[in-house]
């Protein structure tokens, strides 16, 4: 941590930077009794059990928690179904209520009531059964933001087939890696998706992926782009969605699944190796996401809720699909880009659909800030009553701008900290109770215990130093393992600080106990709220064939929070030209996906290494951020770093 950062934290708690909940908000809030924290802390299992009774169970559980560290079983003996809880349960009271209000990039609209959504999910679940899928078989889903994506997920959940959703921006190779690891039998995709007016050729990418993925027996293709994305259908393997559902029964019993039945796998970047398959199970996950949705977003019956994430990431899984639908909420879903056709698209959507709760990422907020307040000012945003932030630390300037220009100064902001692994929000304000402070996610959710520890695992006193953020006790939506790699699960998360879950984040507790998250302390970057392993980008660079050695580090980026800087040593006589830079950038984008495209590529004759030949990333980070260089005494060859620095200054170019 830099001294600059230290002073940044000291001012966070200044009196003029505190936002108290307005009494009008508190009096109507879902949670307004502050003793909830003590009650939950006194007996977390009783707390979770009480909340779990709000869900619909086919068979009640026998034990709330079995904790054979780090292996957790929540609600053992219980049977339920996530799709049933998101749909069937609402039919009596909310059948005609809007579940999904979808808008395509070109402005077309589609509304699905709970009854209609139930019907579509049942039909598609029957289709999946007819394709021969049985409980436990995995299904890969590679789609854009269309209603059929949540329909496909809920259909899988209904028949007990874990889904593995792969973000539509990922490359064919990323897709096939994920299919192969999960050994998926069916792939659901679409002809093409729309983004900023152009077509993303999803089916074509899927075809390329399937050249290396033998486990897939059937491909279901949704028609979305039509003539704009011509596809080749592979005889005996590929079928159109609309043909398959024709005449299929619209009733399909929800499978009564064990509480610990695998609901889904979602791949996320780690420190080394390929992305890891994060495994979430049924009952605990649904409880965690449903309860946090209700309490953190203060969700009421007539709210119109919009989470702007893509369902390809965990935020979309937990807070577009499972959490909101379990609450019977009306959810807005938008297919396209925020600047299409113009930079006011989000605000146009908010005003037209009368959105009341908006959940988005700091990267987007910083982008809106840069575009200027004139865009939100074009629209009436007075329907909004609560704002959320997720994915990265939100800088106080962006927080204050969000509050003023989007929230009109009247909406509480919930800065929610959580991870793919945690499944549910863990550190967050409760909007009717918690005094907020721009730049801090505030306090653990009721029933959650978090600490900051030092190198030796000793707890650090609030208001003193920064350290490692850990969660001290199991929570219901926690991931249960890494798919087919239990050793890595233990090693990565539970071994470093015995007795605690290590998040991989650095953080500090302010004097009042509030948590301020600094960012990842491992070799994982957070680019625009998306996790990318430095190792993945390095492998992609090496794979180009031109690179002898590569070291990738994060660099400060005005909008994305973190950008990607790659220090590269080229092979033999390959020259470090502009076109070589462009070639490498393009190669990484093709290999992983456009989100991994490096912002800077710095060619270097040598990389700074210790005498034991470890690349000193700390120094590279200092160079990339233009800081005074840290300690260089352990370098094998101190001249390398000076040379690098001057090379960087001469050729480093940000896109
Ligand atoms: C939900 C999600 C997780 C990483 C996490 C942090 C960072 C997320 C916040 C945050 C500061 C926040 N899942 N992070 N939320 N940092 N304040 N409110 O993003 O698995 O993709 O990423 O994101 O570093 O470890 S994720």
């Amino acid at each position: 941590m830099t001294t600059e950062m230290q002073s940044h934290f000291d001012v966070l708690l200044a009196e003029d930077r505190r936002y108290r909940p307005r009494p009008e908000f508190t009096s109507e809030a879902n949670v307004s009794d502050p003793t909830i924290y003590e009650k939950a802390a006194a007996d977390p299992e009783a707390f979770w059990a009480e909340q779990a009774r709000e869900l619909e169970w086919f068979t009640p559980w026998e034990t709330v928690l079995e904790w054979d560290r780090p292996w957790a079983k929540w609600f053992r003996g219980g049977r339920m179904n996530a799709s049933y809880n998101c749909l069937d349960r609402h039919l009596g009271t909310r059948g005609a209520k809007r579940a999904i209000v979808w808008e395509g990039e070109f402005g077309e609209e589609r509304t699905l009531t709970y009854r209609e959504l139930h019907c579509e999910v049942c039909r598609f679940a029957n289709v999946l059964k007819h394709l021969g899928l049985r409980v436990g078989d995995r299904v890969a889903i590679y789609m854009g933001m269309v209603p059929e994506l949540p329909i496909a997920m809920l259909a899988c959940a209904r028949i007990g087939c874990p889904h593995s959703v792969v973000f539509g921006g990922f490359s064919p190779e990323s897709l096939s890696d994920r299919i192969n690891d999960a050994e998926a039998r069916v792939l659901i995709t679409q002809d093409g998706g729309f983004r900023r007016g152009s077509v993303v050729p999803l089916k074509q990418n899927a075809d390329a992926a399937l050249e290396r993925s033998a486990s897939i027996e059937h491909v279901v293709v949704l028609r979305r782009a039509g003539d704009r994305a011509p596809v080749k259908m592979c005889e005996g393997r590929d079928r159109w969605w609309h043909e398959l559902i024709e005449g299929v029964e619209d009733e399909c019993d929800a499978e009564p699944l064990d509480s610990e039945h695998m609901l889904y796998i979602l791949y996320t970047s780690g420190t080394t190796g390929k992305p890891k398959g994060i495994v979430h199970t049924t009952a605990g996950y649904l409880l965690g996401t449903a309860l946090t949705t209700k309490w953190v977003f203060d969700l009421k019956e007539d709210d119109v809720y919009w989470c702007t994430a893509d369902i390809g990431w965990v935020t979309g899984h937990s807070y577009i699909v499972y959490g909101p639908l379990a609450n019977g909420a009306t959810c807005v879903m938008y297919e396209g880009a925020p600047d299409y056709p113009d930079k006011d698209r989000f605000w146009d959507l908010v005003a037209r659909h009368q959105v009341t709760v908006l959940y988005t990422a700091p990267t987007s907020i910083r982008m809106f800030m840069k575009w200027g307040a004139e865009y939100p000012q074009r629209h009436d945003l007075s329907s909004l009553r609560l704002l959320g932030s997720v994915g990265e630390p939100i800088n106080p300037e962006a927080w204050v701008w969000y509050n003023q220009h989007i929230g009109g100064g009247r909406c509480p902001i919930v800065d929610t900290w959580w991870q793919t692994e945690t499944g549910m929000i863990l550190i967050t304000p409760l909007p009717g109770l918690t005094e907020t402070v721009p730049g801090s996610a505030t306090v653990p959710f009721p029933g959650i215990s978090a600490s900051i520890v030092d190198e030796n695992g000793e707890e650090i006193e609030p208001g003193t130093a920064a350290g490692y953020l850990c969660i001290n006790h199991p929570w219901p939506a926690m991931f249960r393992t890494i798919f087919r790699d239990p050793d890595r699960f233990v090693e990565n998360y539970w071994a470093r600080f015995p007795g605690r879950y290590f998040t991989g984040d650095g953080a500090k507790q302010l004097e009042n106990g509030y948590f301020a998250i600094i960012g990842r302390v491992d070799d994982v970057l957070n680019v625009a709220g998306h996790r990318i392993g430095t190792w993945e980008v390095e492998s992609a660079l090496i794979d180009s064939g031109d690179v002898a050695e590569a070291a990738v580090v994060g660099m400060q980026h005005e909008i994305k929070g973190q950008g990607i800087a790659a220090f590269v040593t080229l092979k033999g006589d390959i020259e470090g030209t502009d076109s070589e830079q462009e070639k490498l950038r393009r190669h990484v984008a093709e290999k992983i996906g456009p989100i991994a495209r490096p912002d800077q590529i710095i060619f270097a004759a040598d990389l700074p290494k210790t005498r034991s030949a470890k690349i000193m990333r700390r120094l590279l980070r200092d160079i990339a951020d233009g800081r005074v260089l840290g300690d260089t005494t352990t370098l094998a060859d101190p001249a390398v770093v000076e040379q690098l620095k001057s090379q960087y200054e001469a050729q480093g170019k940000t896109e």
Side-chain angles (χ1 to χ4, degrees), residues 268 313-315 389-394 415-421 427 441 503-505 517 519-520 526 529-531:
T268 192
W313 308 104
V314 75
T315 302
S389 171
V390 61
E392 338 144 45
I394 178 164
D415 174 1
T416 61
W417 178 92
W418 60 293
Q419 310 177 297
T420 307
E421 292 87 341
I427 302 180
T503 63
D505 276 3
I517 315 294
R520 308 284 313 184
N526 188 331
H530 303 315
R531 275 165 67 168

Side-chain angles (χ1 to χ4, degrees), residues 344-635:
D344 65 342
R345 183 64 187 266
F346 272 26
W347 318 122
D348 176 51
L349 261 137
V350 166
R352 267 186 303 105
H353 298 292
Q354 293 287 289
V355 172
T356 57
V357 177
L358 178 72
Y359 191 31
T360 194
T363 289
S364 309
I365 299 165
R366 285 190 293 266
M367 197 171 58
F368 297 137
M369 230 170 121
K370 195 170 178 187
W371 289 343
E374 60 189 274
Y375 295 102
Q377 271 157 18
R378 285 184 193 167
H379 301 274
D380 176 6
L381 304 183
S382 61
S383 58
L384 289 171
R385 64 176 200 91
L386 187 143
L387 303 174
S389 171
V390 61
E392 338 144 45
I394 178 164
N395 44 313
E397 304 85 282
W399 197 107
V400 168
W401 189 91
Y402 194 31
N403 177 54
Q404 274 174 4
H405 295 284
I406 308 304
R410 70 182 179 279
C411 304
I413 296 182
V414 288
D415 174 1
T416 61
W417 178 92
W418 60 293
Q419 310 177 297
T420 307
E421 292 87 341
T422 69
M424 63 188 267
I425 294 169
L426 290 190
I427 302 180
T428 178
L430 289 180
L433 280 179
T434 317
E435 178 176 280
T436 54
V437 174
S440 165
T442 72
V443 294
F445 189 81
I448 304 297
S449 160
S451 296
I452 313 280
V453 302
D454 65 16
E455 287 292 344
N456 306 316
E458 302 290 340
E459 291 197 15
I460 298 176
E461 280 297 303
T464 58
Y468 303 100
L469 176 63
C470 292
I471 309 298
N472 305 321
H473 301 298
W475 63 100
M478 65 199 282
F479 66 138
R480 300 299 196 261
T481 189
I482 294 176
F483 192 63
R484 283 203 223 289
D485 203 348
D487 294 345
R488 198 172 170 199
F489 172 74
V490 176
E491 189 54 38
N492 272 203
Y493 299 100
W494 303 93
R496 180 145 174 203
F497 301 112
R500 303 178 208 262
Y501 164 73
F502 175 45
T503 63
D505 276 3
K508 188 187 162 167
Q509 262 183 297
L510 308 178
E511 257 164 59
N512 66 349
Y514 278 17
F515 288 78
I517 315 294
I518 299 165
R520 308 284 313 184
V521 293
D522 51 12
D523 290 329
V524 175
L525 307 180
N526 188 331
V527 179
H530 303 315
R531 275 165 67 168
I532 299 168
T534 54
W535 187 91
E536 287 172 84
V537 183
E538 287 162 8
S539 324
L541 286 164
I542 302 279
D543 173 85
S544 71
D546 293 358
V547 172
E549 194 168 38
V552 165
V553 296
M555 54 182 265
Q556 286 165 20
H557 190 284
E558 194 193 343
I559 306 285
K560 296 194 276 187
Q562 218 168 28
I564 300 177
F567 291 82
V568 167
T569 304
L570 291 169
K571 277 186 187 163
D573 47 9
I574 297 172
E575 267 185 76
T577 58
D578 283 0
S579 72
E580 182 64 28
Q581 272 199 11
E582 187 41 38
K583 179 180 168 195
L584 294 180
R585 282 200 175 106
R586 200 172 339 111
H587 185 80
V588 174
E590 278 166 15
K591 184 98 180 156
I592 304 173
I595 52 164
R597 189 180 165 87
D599 296 276
Q600 294 211 340
I601 291 187
I602 303 97
F603 294 118
D606 272 306
L607 296 176
K609 292 192 188 128
T610 62
R611 269 157 276 213
S612 59
K614 283 189 80 165
I615 295 176
M616 292 195 57
R617 289 165 186 285
R618 178 174 54 78
L619 287 178
L620 296 177
R621 280 193 287 266
D622 288 343
I623 294 172
D625 285 338
R627 273 190 299 272
V628 180
L629 292 185
D631 186 11
T632 57
T633 50
T634 53
L635 277 176

Side-chain angles (χ1 to χ4, degrees), residues 238-258:
D238 303 352
R239 309 283 298 276
W240 287 106
W241 177 302
H242 61 269
E243 287 176 11
L244 285 170
I245 58 165
E246 221 172 72
V248 171
E249 235 208 304
D250 59 9
E251 286 291 337
C252 172
D253 284 343
E255 198 72 39
L257 300 167
D258 191 277

